[in-house]
Amino acid sequence: MSVKLYELKKVIFSPVVIGLMAVFIAFNIFVIFNQTQSTSELKVLNKIVDKFGYKINDKMMVDFKLYYSDQLKNLNEITFEKTSNPYQSAMDLFSNDFNSSNIYKEDDLEFFNDVRVIENYYYTAKNLDISYKDNNIKQVGEGGISMYNISGSAADTVRMQYAKLSIRFDKIKENGEYKNLFFIGNVYKMHTFLFKTLFRDFIFEIMILIVLITGYLMNYEFENKTLFVVYATKRGRKLNKDKFYVSIFTSILVTTIIIGISLGIYFTVVSYSGLWKVPISSGFNWDNQLPYISWFNMSFTKYLFCCIGLVYVCEILFACITFIISNFIRSSYIVFFIFAITFGIAIIISGLIPVSSNAVFIGQFTPFVLILHSQQWFMEKGPFATFKYYEVFTIVAWSIILLSICGICMRKFRKQNLY
């Protein structure tokens, strides 16, 4: 049996690792089912897209209006028969608290609700141009400068980045990238749920497992008092390298299992049929004060895979950080504690740097801060992290630094005193 396979077996058969993975996946499933109770409303959009496509243009809006009018007419036929009351809109019907009258069948109530949802999508699409016209990205940057009292060269940098983002925003309006149907952000908040709630859960769950696994692998011989047997040979002194490769592989494996199962269940519960190619900068995908403005023209599918890829790389970086800590600390529990302190210090330091200098941005370019912006990756994310290649630069810079340090640690361990 190869050394790497033996080290891997230590992990995959560990009751702690198996137990934690089961708990984390169960928790994710609970969150998914608990937060996606309006799936019947979400499916209405799939029906609309099946009929008209997701691109919003003049012809589509004409057809959409006729469809909505027909549905409203059918609604009024039912209500007039029961109460002799016609309604100008589905929302007027719901405003009258008609559920308490108990005069409608359950199928009628479901139909009424579908019409209300169709109505919401129609008027949101109709007013989309007005909503986008009122946004001034440069003023958003000035608002951030004022809010955080940014001054000096830092303020100049923020203005420069938002000027670039403004050009991108104008491009989104020019090419109609925002004129595509998607789940209404301010109603369902699907982007926030998926890329903030779920992805942040994934990141921290996997991080906990990776830190525990890497610390366990690195300190196994020390904690089990077998170090003088294992590391007494020349081959044994190269074991750190094997452990490093196994920890990286395990990081990938754990990430794949947790994200694969959790997202598999999510996309089974929530149908994205017909929406996979919708640009992530769709005007419907707007659940905050500012619409989501991506630096690149990406479909939902491309954005999803880029975010998943970013999770993989971040978790590998966390494995590298744990590997480095484990070369100095000979207890897996203390390694976990030191990692947590390192995480906290990285976050705190980023908020202590004076906001009058460009040095304030350096604290943002860490994997610890990066994972806190998961719902805004590759997008506008506030005055301190709105850089076009923020994610790429952070990952590349830290990969070079950490891999170099890991290499040094491996070479140093070959001659290191074990006492």
Side-chain angles (χ1 to χ4, degrees):
M1 181 183 296
S2 69
V3 175
K4 293 184 182 68
L5 186 59
Y6 176 74
E7 294 295 327
L8 181 61
K9 285 185 68 177
K10 291 179 185 176
V11 175
I12 61 177
F13 291 112
S14 169
V16 174
V17 173
I18 295 172
L20 277 177
M21 286 187 64
V23 169
F24 290 151
I25 291 172
F27 174 76
N28 293 339
I29 294 172
F30 170 78
V31 171
I32 290 169
F33 280 96
N34 190 51
Q35 296 294 324
T36 54
Q37 297 174 354
S38 58
T39 52
S40 59
E41 289 190 11
L42 298 176
K43 290 177 181 178
V44 173
L45 174 60
N46 301 127
K47 296 176 183 177
I48 295 172
V49 172
D50 286 342
K51 285 181 176 293
F52 311 112
Y54 57 81
K55 293 184 179 295
I56 300 172
N57 51 43
D58 293 339
K59 182 181 183 306
M60 181 269 190
M61 287 304 297
V62 170
D63 294 338
F64 196 1
K65 182 179 181 180
L66 290 173
Y67 174 68
Y68 162 61
S69 298
D70 287 342
Q71 298 301 304
L72 185 60
K73 180 181 177 182
N74 293 336
L75 179 148
N76 278 316
E77 288 177 355
I78 297 172
T79 58
F80 191 80
E81 180 183 346
K82 300 288 186 179
T83 64
S84 299
N85 290 327
Y87 295 92
Q88 295 297 317
S89 69
M91 189 56 67
D92 289 342
L93 171 62
F94 278 78
S95 299
N96 286 290
D97 193 25
F98 69 96
N99 286 328
S100 62
S101 60
N102 295 321
I103 60 176
Y104 296 105
K105 299 177 182 178
E106 185 175 342
D107 289 345
D108 292 335
L109 297 178
E110 290 179 1
F111 173 69
F112 295 161
N113 190 57
D114 286 352
V115 177
R116 178 186 62 81
V117 175
I118 292 169
E119 180 178 277
N120 201 1
Y121 276 104
Y122 172 72
Y123 282 109
T124 301
K126 186 178 180 181
N127 298 320
L128 206 54
D129 287 331
I130 298 173
S131 301
Y132 261 68
K133 184 179 179 182
D134 294 337
N135 280 283
N136 186 312
I137 303 305
K138 292 182 180 179
Q139 286 182 0
V140 172
E142 291 297 329
I145 291 172
S146 176
M147 180 184 297
Y148 296 101
N149 295 316
I150 304 173
S151 60
S153 58
D156 293 337
T157 299
V158 173
R159 290 189 179 99
M160 181 174 64
Q161 296 307 314
Y162 274 86
K164 294 178 181 178
L165 187 66
S166 180
I167 295 172
R168 166 62 182 150
F169 187 64
D170 290 338
K171 187 69 176 178
I172 290 174
K173 292 189 289 186
E174 179 186 330
N175 63 19
E177 195 175 322
Y178 71 102
K179 300 183 73 171
N180 292 277
L181 290 173
F182 202 68
F183 300 115
I184 300 178
N186 60 9
V187 176
Y188 305 109
K189 299 186 182 299
M190 299 302 290
H191 184 92
T192 295
F193 175 65
L194 176 56
F195 292 105
K196 182 179 181 180
T197 303
L198 284 183
F199 263 74
R200 195 171 291 182
D201 287 347
F202 298 159
I203 290 167
F204 281 98
E205 290 164 358
I206 297 166
M207 181 196 299
I208 290 170
L209 283 166
I210 286 172
V211 174
L212 288 174
I213 289 170
T214 305
Y216 170 73
L217 281 174
M218 292 298 299
N219 291 299
Y220 182 85
E221 284 72 24
F222 291 90
E223 292 178 336
N224 288 276
K225 311 301 181 183
T226 60
L227 66 160
F228 295 111
V229 175
V230 175
Y231 296 130
T233 64
K234 187 176 181 180
R235 178 64 183 87
R237 284 301 184 130
K238 296 180 181 180
L239 189 58
N240 254 20
K241 190 174 183 180
D242 296 316
K243 290 177 180 289
F244 174 75
Y245 290 143
V246 171
S247 67
I248 297 299
F249 177 78
T250 307
S251 301
I252 296 171
L253 181 63
V254 168
T255 303
T256 301
I257 292 173
I258 289 183
I259 289 184
I261 294 176
S262 301
L263 285 185
I265 292 172
Y266 173 77
F267 287 115
T268 300
V269 174
V270 181
S271 174
Y272 279 72
S273 174
L275 303 173
W276 297 105
K277 295 182 180 180
V278 174
I280 200 67
S281 292
S282 165
F284 279 76
N285 190 26
W286 183 347
D287 56 16
N288 213 323
Q289 294 180 342
L290 194 68
Y292 288 109
I293 307 169
S294 66
W295 283 105
F296 311 96
N297 186 351
M298 293 190 287
S299 66
F300 172 79
T301 303
K302 186 175 181 180
Y303 183 81
L304 174 66
F305 279 105
C306 284
C307 289
I308 292 173
L310 206 53
V311 173
Y312 272 98
V313 178
C314 285
E315 300 300 351
I316 290 173
L317 293 182
F318 294 142
C320 291
I321 293 171
T322 309
F323 176 82
I324 294 168
I325 295 172
S326 298
N327 274 270
F328 301 94
I329 306 297
R330 299 308 183 187
S331 169
S332 56
Y333 298 104
I334 298 178
V335 166
F336 186 89
F337 182 68
I338 296 297
F339 182 92
I341 292 177
T342 304
F343 189 109
I345 291 173
I347 301 300
I348 293 171
I349 288 178
S350 66
L352 295 178
I353 304 174
V355 293
S356 59
S357 168
N358 278 326
V360 71
F361 302 110
I362 297 176
Q364 303 295 316
F365 286 84
T366 71
F368 302 108
V369 176
L370 173 63
I371 62 174
L372 300 181
H373 299 298
S374 59
Q375 80 276 21
Q376 296 168 310
W377 282 339
F378 311 105
M379 296 179 173
E380 186 277 335
K381 55 179 71 64
F384 297 112
T386 297
F387 296 87
K388 186 173 183 178
Y389 297 104
Y390 168 75
E391 293 80 8
V392 175
F393 185 83
T394 302
I395 291 301
V396 171
W398 277 81
S399 294
I400 294 172
I401 294 169
L402 292 176
L403 289 175
S404 298
I405 297 174
C406 287
I408 293 171
C409 289
M410 289 179 210
R411 288 193 295 272
K412 182 181 177 182
F413 184 78
R414 294 177 185 177
K415 299 179 180 180
Q416 185 175 325
N417 193 333
L418 298 177
Y419 290 96

